[in-house]
Amino acid sequence: MDWKKIYEERKCSAGEAVKLVKSGNRVVFAHAVAEPLVLVEALIANKEAYRNVTISHMVTLGKGEYSLPENKEHFTYEGWFTSPSTRKSLEEGHGEFVPVFFHEVPEMIRRDIFHVDVLFVTVAPPDENGKCCIGVSADYTMQAAKSADVILAEVNDQVPYVYGDCFIDVEEIDAFVETSHPLFELKPSKIGPTEEAIGKNCARLIEDGATLQLGIGAIPDAVLAQLGDKKHLGIHSEMFSDGVVDLYEKGVFDCSQKSLHKGKMIVTFLMGTKKLYDFVDHNPMVEMMPVDYVNHPEIIAKNSNMVCINACVQVDFMGQIVSECIGPKQISGVGGQVDFVRGAAMTHDGKGKAIIAMPSVTVKKDGSMVSKIVPYIDHGAAVTTSRCDADYVVTEYGVACMKGRTLHDRARQLIDIAHPDFREELKSQFKERFKIDY
Ligand code: COA
């Protein structure tokens, strides 16, 4: 049948569409900005119709109402990453968390370890070939679309049309709900003197011609702010935001030296402001691919001069990196951090660098400071990047190098880049821990 006819026949309201969800189903939400907020709202409004519906996704920017205790007989939240709106359900014990590398999520779906009954997704209106672009997410959303029994799509005419492997055929989609609203926007972070100093220390490790992976938040933004004088940088990253667009306009990111996908920015999802969404729209320089390709360490390793920059919560004297927990409290997930740390270590030219960058201290709500460099990680915390994987650790006070270094050397270097107010205490903890003087 003609795809236009199928589209017209399957067009309905959000309230009608969510009737296709049945008790006992697992509903997977497309990642981050691709979560269809109108459909999710309709699902919550129809909650009395459901018992034991499992909701799974990685980053959510939505309200996470399905994870509230009052909804627990209707929904169980089972996150593969967790976000501010869903954290509480994990703390209270009625939500569930699955530790998983980002690049492995599609394989888990393929193998039916994560069965997908229903996919909720946001797409752009179909193109002339009857294909709907997901626009801001290929990552695990593409595999979920291939494996799902049912696909419900919010068709938002403000979704950018991005090239790559990020399209679903109209025929595959069971219900179309037309909407038109601005996409979620992640505003650029505030960069203070600490972040600026971290940015400068990271920039020293980035050579002209490097290919970069950058995470979300103040640290990646601060690094980008220091790259204005670099030349021929490239992007092979799970995501990128507005800072990259500014540097592209200045001619810094031309991707001309990339050894893989020369001339192209490769990503698996997008999260920024309208400026970013306008930049990627119909832009032949940007290609979005599924995460089992972009984040696979073997693919990352094919990039020459690869530099990965991610953040963390805590680093211990041995170089164990905690990035997703505060003690036993799960605040995010492993995401793509280890994918890129390992990919950089495996690079074919031996020039890959994996940087973990962080302010030396966290300032708590009561104004007190906590050192992020510690002798031992907090009780109950999970190690995200292991001590064997750890490469560079950067704070506003400098750079510590972990690869191939002894435990004593690692600890000394880390103390040297700790906040000065904590160095003496850390030195005496060094003596206690290793039975030798700092
Ligand atoms: N002790 C106690 N609390 C700490 C802490 C420490 N050592 N370090 C951070 N925190 C708290 C902060 O105070 C903040 O609390 P709040 O939410 O109540 O304000 C919270 O943890 C988050 O810290 P912040 O520094 O604001 O985080 P961020 O937005 O810069 O994100 C990570 C940093 C590490 C949480 C984030 O990068 C992450 O989740 N990484 C893992 C996944 C990953 O790297 N993916 C690849 C890139 S997308």
Side-chain angles (χ1 to χ4, degrees):
M1 209 200 305
D2 176 17
W3 69 260
K4 286 182 186 154
K5 232 169 153 188
I6 295 175
Y7 183 84
E8 284 308 317
E9 275 179 20
R10 297 184 188 170
K11 221 160 67 175
C12 61
S13 68
E16 280 300 310
V18 297
K19 287 185 186 160
L20 292 171
V21 175
K22 304 292 172 211
S23 290
N25 279 176
R26 185 205 290 261
V27 178
V28 169
F29 292 174
H31 192 215
V33 184
E35 178 181 331
L37 301 178
V38 171
L39 276 170
V40 175
E41 242 177 71
L43 184 79
I44 302 299
N46 197 39
K47 67 180 182 183
E48 292 306 331
Y50 314 121
R51 291 286 176 279
N52 302 323
V53 167
T54 301
I55 308 286
S56 292
H57 51 77
M58 286 191 62
V59 172
T60 179
L61 306 162
K63 296 184 202 146
E65 284 163 287
Y66 45 86
S67 70
L68 296 175
E70 60 263 36
N71 289 328
K72 69 181 178 196
E73 68 182 274
H74 308 293
F75 305 109
T76 304
Y77 162 64
E78 189 184 299
W80 307 329
F81 194 97
T82 195
S83 305
S85 65
T86 49
R87 275 175 202 158
K88 211 158 180 244
S89 73
L90 302 182
E91 265 179 81
E92 290 171 350
H94 52 88
E96 292 270 15
F97 177 75
V98 185
V100 58
F101 297 125
F102 198 0
H103 88 273
E104 281 187 351
V105 176
E107 181 62 12
M108 300 278 183
I109 294 172
R110 245 186 320 266
R111 284 204 246 152
D112 216 27
I113 295 169
F114 297 156
H115 179 75
V116 186
D117 291 296
V118 185
L119 171 69
F120 274 34
V121 62
T122 308
V123 294
D127 65 12
E128 63 282 9
N129 299 312
K131 289 179 185 298
C132 296
C133 182
I134 312 173
V136 283
S137 151
D139 45 61
Y140 64 80
T141 304
M142 278 303 290
Q143 185 57 47
K146 286 178 189 151
S147 301
D149 298 332
V150 173
I151 303 177
L152 309 187
E154 203 172 303
V155 184
N156 184 347
D157 58 7
Q158 301 190 34
V159 170
Y161 188 93
V162 179
Y163 300 116
D165 184 2
C166 50
F167 292 83
I168 313 177
D169 288 341
V170 161
E171 291 86 337
E172 303 297 325
I173 297 173
D174 298 275
F176 297 93
V177 176
E178 290 186 339
T179 59
S180 179
H181 56 82
L183 301 183
F184 177 89
E185 296 200 28
L186 181 76
K187 302 286 179 205
S189 317
K190 280 202 184 106
I191 300 174
T194 302
E195 290 78 15
E196 194 179 311
I198 295 168
K200 285 186 176 148
N201 288 335
C202 290
R204 281 165 36 208
L205 297 169
I206 300 170
E207 293 172 20
D208 288 343
T211 292
L212 304 187
Q213 174 260 328
L214 296 147
I216 312 165
I219 303 290
D221 287 348
V223 175
L224 287 166
Q226 299 303 323
L227 300 181
D229 295 334
K230 304 279 179 190
K231 293 184 188 68
H232 309 307
L233 296 183
I235 287 283
H236 182 106
S237 187
E238 64 188 44
M239 54 93 60
F240 66 84
S241 47
D242 294 37
V244 169
V245 182
D246 298 333
L247 289 180
Y248 166 78
E249 283 163 359
K250 285 189 187 149
V252 174
F253 280 101
D254 64 10
C255 298
S256 63
Q257 313 280 305
K258 285 183 77 183
S259 51
L260 185 69
H261 301 290
K262 201 188 215 37
K264 304 267 185 201
M265 295 181 176
I266 301 296
V267 280
T268 196
F269 74 98
L270 291 158
M271 193 149 76
T273 68
K274 188 168 183 304
K275 178 178 176 171
L276 174 78
Y277 306 137
D278 288 345
F279 171 74
V280 298
D281 187 43
H282 287 94
N283 185 342
M285 191 173 183
V286 178
E287 274 190 28
M288 197 159 62
M289 318 269 219
V291 72
D292 44 344
Y293 177 79
V294 176
N295 278 35
H296 198 293
E298 283 176 8
I299 298 299
I300 296 163
K302 291 184 181 176
N303 286 286
S304 53
N305 234 325
M306 184 78 213
V307 183
C308 311
I309 301 159
N310 290 295
C312 79
V313 168
Q314 205 170 49
V315 182
D316 77 3
F317 279 175
M318 300 190 288
Q320 299 195 98
I321 291 157
V322 174
S323 306
E324 55 188 291
C325 298
I326 298 171
K329 187 172 142 188
Q330 188 74 42
I331 62 160
S332 58
V334 60
Q337 182 169 121
V338 177
D339 298 341
F340 276 91
V341 166
R342 294 199 171 148
M346 288 161 56
T347 41
H348 66 106
D349 63 352
K351 289 175 80 176
K353 294 183 187 124
I355 300 171
I356 298 292
M358 58 172 190
S360 61
V361 290
T362 294
V363 182
K364 289 194 154 176
K365 289 197 173 73
D366 63 5
S368 62
M369 290 196 308
V370 179
S371 175
K372 285 160 95 71
I373 293 174
V374 288
Y376 303 99
I377 63 172
D378 283 354
H379 180 71
V383 170
T384 306
T385 295
S386 79
R387 60 186 188 169
C388 296
D389 288 309
D391 193 5
Y392 292 93
V393 178
V394 173
T395 70
E396 67 275 32
Y397 296 103
V399 177
C401 185
M402 304 287 108
K403 272 260 142 91
R405 306 304 169 97
T406 65
L407 295 184
H408 296 170
D409 187 15
R410 288 170 180 232
R412 287 192 178 104
Q413 287 189 63
L414 288 165
I415 293 168
D416 289 347
I417 63 164
H419 192 285
D421 290 3
F422 289 93
R423 285 187 201 159
E424 286 316 308
E425 191 187 337
L426 289 167
K427 284 176 188 174
S428 68
Q429 287 164 331
F430 176 97
K431 189 166 181 187
E432 223 173 276
R433 165 83 173 77
F434 295 115
K435 315 293 176 227
I436 54 164
D437 283 334
Y438 163 83

